[in-house]
Amino acid sequence: MLSALLIICSCLSVRSSGKPMFPENEKSPAFWNNGAQKTLKEALSTQELNKNKAKNLILFLGDGMGVPTVTAARILKGQLNGQSGEEYQLEMDKFPFVSLSKTYNTDAQVPDSAGTATAYLCGVKANEGTVGVSAAAVRSQCNTTKGNEVTSILKWAKDAGKSVGIVTTTRINHATPSAAYAHSVDRDWYSDNEMPSEALQAGCKDIARQLFENIPNIDVIMGGGRKYMFPKNMSDVDYPGVAKYNGVRNDGRNLVQEWIDRMKDQGGHYVWNKQQLLSLNPKKTSYLLGLFGPVDLPYDLERNADSDPSLTQMVEVAIKVLQNNPKGFYLLVEGGRIDHGHHEGKAKQALYEAVEMDRAIGRADLLTSAQDTLTVVTADHSHVFTFGGYTRRGNTIFGLAPMVSDVDHKPFTSILYGNGPGYKLVGGARENVSTVDFAENNYKAQSAVPLTSETHGGEDVAVFAKGPLAHLLHGVHEQNFIPHVMAYAACIGQNRGHCPSGGTAALRPVFSSMAAVLTVTLLLC
């Protein structure tokens, strides 16, 4: 009886608020018909396929950005722009081609970020916890590294004479970026301090060291992870009194200073805060190393706007530096802390991170052209994040469902997790969320199963693509297909037989002769 009354009161309060539940023009069939016709014309125009050679390649990787996260971020961004949110378009929503990627690792149904990074960067599926090595390598077993290394599209681009860059909101030696340059059987070997002695004695190198040694002239490197680059106990430049941010390297090497010494006569610049980054002249910068935190960068909601650069700002500088090369560039951009927000059950942090990555996508669009730049947006995996509860149109994405549970008679937020740290019992029963501030930045949404860290999800993730040969990313594909398409479009790596000898003229696909045969056959018939 109590639950029925609460449901009725909730519905009455929505209807009596005086606010329209949706825009007035949506009552007219003409609104929807006209919108569909406009979209139809746009869809027909995409049939004029862009078969240009891709001079530039950009991969935006939203770590943990599953389809529910994309949808929720769309609503959030729309609401931040004064709309109800559901009808809003993210920058990635505007891409003409969308497909699905199967994310499993060779040894895992629900993947991790290391094995997936090896797939979408190196073109080879791998075991969880390993980066830049094939599935023949065994996690944490150093002696399985040699002979099982696989190279990434970043290296293919560098070998072809293009400039290359990595921008991330996590440690630059975290799972996603490390697969672009490292070969490690353990994603957690950030520095030699995290490696077992037997692995060091067997000759395995930590990931921070590989960043500077494997591909020594990566043109742009931006992210966090300073502590892994400096000798043990060396104070951090921004947190001199905080011991946990001191350098951790046991080998005594200062990898940053080594980079500065090597690049000082080659137009190289090292920066560690926003002011230094934005004061650079990109036209006069050949190489850029930006390390903006001892570990991961702050969440965007907690970022110091005076000293910490946003992902959008980093992406803009990166593109302007990389554009100095007339042969073009490859850029990997990771919105890495979407994943961290979800693991912590902090949906608000995760979704604001996704919104910021979408802003960076928009900025990249303004700085490049779809005529010569293939841009791909995807995720490595999803999370057990969802939102539901029959919420009304325009309901704040962080709000309550318009009903209470018909079992425990308590309200619940629309956003929930399948598992994670948000599981909480009060007096042996589910916590009443109306007694807490569920709109607070670090609120941990309720979960069904108690875990200290929420887990990844195993479903397919979306792949958005625009630019030269973007139409090749269609249907449902294995995740390792992505770099093969990007390399094919740019005429780097393998499969270069279809490429023109020079310039940016349209490619001649290998299947054109077959199409000609089919055309003649149809005419004869």
Side-chain angles (χ1 to χ4, degrees):
M1 184 66 180
L2 176 61
S3 64
L5 286 171
L6 284 170
I7 292 171
I8 292 169
C9 290
S10 176
C11 292
L12 286 174
S13 66
V14 170
R15 291 176 181 173
S16 63
S17 64
K19 297 179 181 178
M21 289 183 287
F22 54 85
E24 188 69 23
N25 58 359
E26 291 187 11
K27 294 180 180 179
S28 168
F31 171 82
W32 297 107
N33 290 333
N34 293 339
Q37 289 299 311
K38 179 183 176 184
T39 304
L40 179 59
K41 290 179 181 178
E42 293 170 352
L44 288 168
S45 70
T46 64
Q47 299 307 302
E48 299 171 10
L49 301 178
N50 181 346
K51 296 180 181 178
N52 293 342
K53 177 181 176 181
K55 175 183 177 182
N56 309 311
L57 301 169
I58 305 176
L59 176 64
F60 280 94
L61 192 286
D63 198 311
M65 190 181 71
V67 172
T69 299
V70 173
T71 308
R74 177 189 304 131
I75 294 172
L76 172 59
K77 194 174 181 184
Q79 292 178 348
L80 291 173
N81 283 277
Q83 301 179 24
S84 64
E86 300 83 3
E87 72 291 341
Y88 195 75
Q89 266 198 316
L90 293 170
E91 295 297 330
M92 66 185 89
D93 291 338
K94 301 172 186 176
F95 284 32
F97 299 98
V98 182
S99 58
L100 292 176
S101 167
K102 296 190 285 185
T103 64
Y104 67 92
N105 295 147
T106 48
D107 63 344
Q109 187 177 77
V110 178
D112 90 316
S113 296
T116 51
T118 304
Y120 61 75
L121 290 174
C122 303
V124 174
K125 285 224 170 191
N127 295 328
E128 65 177 351
T130 66
V131 292
V133 290
S134 71
V138 180
R139 185 172 188 175
S140 302
Q141 292 187 20
C142 174
N143 62 357
T144 66
T145 307
K146 191 173 179 60
N148 294 320
E149 300 93 341
V150 291
T151 58
S152 76
I153 187 171
L154 182 138
K155 188 173 191 307
W156 310 340
K158 189 68 175 177
D159 289 346
K162 295 183 181 294
S163 292
V164 296
I166 304 171
V167 176
T168 180
T169 52
T170 67
R171 286 155 276 188
I172 194 66
N173 49 347
H174 209 250
T176 295
S178 64
Y181 57 83
H183 311 289
S184 178
V185 291
D186 198 315
R187 57 174 287 179
D188 296 327
W189 289 354
Y190 299 120
S191 75
D192 60 347
N193 182 65
E194 289 78 36
M195 295 178 66
S197 57
E198 56 268 24
L200 290 169
Q201 291 165 6
C204 280
K205 297 195 296 185
D206 64 86
I207 296 171
R209 182 179 164 192
Q210 292 189 57
L211 170 64
F212 298 104
E213 295 181 0
N214 287 7
I215 309 174
N217 293 323
I218 296 176
D219 302 81
V220 173
I221 301 169
M222 282 194 271
R226 280 196 302 257
K227 65 184 286 186
Y228 306 105
M229 315 298 170
F230 293 101
K232 198 173 189 70
N233 297 324
M234 181 175 174
S235 293
D236 183 75
V237 64
D238 204 23
Y239 300 92
V242 184
K244 67 178 181 178
Y245 293 146
N246 289 350
V248 297
R249 298 198 63 83
N250 292 318
D251 60 10
R253 292 179 64 177
N254 184 329
L255 299 178
V256 171
Q257 190 60 51
E258 291 178 17
W259 184 92
I260 293 172
D261 292 342
R262 189 171 74 247
M263 296 297 187
K264 63 184 177 183
D265 296 327
Q266 301 182 54
H269 296 272
Y270 169 64
V271 296
W272 59 268
N273 61 44
K274 175 183 172 179
Q275 295 93 327
Q276 293 174 346
L277 175 67
L278 299 187
S279 66
L280 288 175
N281 182 344
K283 294 294 183 185
K284 296 182 178 179
T285 303
S286 300
Y287 299 96
L288 173 59
L289 173 62
L291 298 176
F292 303 108
V295 281
D296 303 314
L297 274 57
Y299 284 122
D300 197 63
L301 276 174
E302 299 173 354
R303 181 173 60 87
N304 184 326
D306 294 326
S307 58
D308 300 323
S310 67
L311 181 60
T312 301
Q313 289 166 337
M314 290 192 291
V315 166
E316 178 166 354
V317 174
I319 290 175
K320 288 180 176 178
V321 171
L322 295 172
Q323 284 174 332
N324 291 329
N325 188 341
K327 293 185 177 180
F329 64 83
Y330 172 87
L331 175 62
L332 167 65
V333 180
E334 183 197 20
R337 303 220 65 196
I338 301 169
D339 179 71
H340 295 174
H342 281 321
H343 278 307
E344 295 173 1
K346 299 174 181 177
K348 191 167 188 178
Q349 298 285 10
L351 295 184
Y352 270 83
E353 290 295 306
V355 167
E356 173 56 24
M357 193 182 86
D358 196 63
R359 292 193 192 102
I361 294 168
R363 187 63 55 86
D365 178 68
L366 294 174
L367 295 169
T368 59
S369 167
Q371 290 304 305
D372 68 358
T373 301
L374 172 60
T375 305
V376 177
V377 180
T378 189
D380 46 357
H381 54 74
S382 186
H383 276 267
V384 291
F385 160 88
T386 189
F387 69 99
Y390 303 115
T391 46
R392 307 293 291 179
R393 178 78 177 270
N395 192 70
T396 171
I397 193 63
F398 304 113
L400 294 174
M403 63 181 73
V404 295
S405 166
D406 59 359
V407 176
D408 66 8
H409 312 299
K410 293 177 183 177
F412 60 96
T413 54
S414 173
I415 286 175
L416 296 167
Y417 286 95
N419 57 52
Y423 181 94
K424 187 176 181 181
L425 296 178
V426 176
R430 182 172 69 91
E431 182 180 49
N432 188 332
V433 295
S434 64
T435 66
V436 298
D437 183 5
F438 50 80
E440 194 265 329
N441 289 353
N442 291 302
Y443 170 71
K444 297 177 181 178
Q446 291 184 337
S447 68
V449 176
L451 289 176
T452 55
S453 178
E454 177 265 3
T455 73
H456 296 169
E459 73 269 25
D460 298 348
V461 296
V463 184
F464 306 85
K466 69 172 181 177
L469 298 189
H471 57 279
L472 296 181
L473 287 164
H474 68 284
V476 181
H477 292 290
E478 296 286 1
Q479 194 169 42
N480 69 295
F481 180 61
I482 294 171
H484 290 278
V485 169
M486 298 184 77
Y488 185 92
C491 291
I492 60 176
Q494 46 187 320
N495 298 333
R496 285 180 286 181
H498 63 288
C499 300
S501 57
T504 57
L507 301 179
R508 294 177 177 82
V510 294
F511 49 80
S512 59
S513 58
M514 183 179 293
V517 170
L518 288 172
T519 302
V520 171
T521 303
L522 288 171
L523 289 171
L524 291 174
C525 293

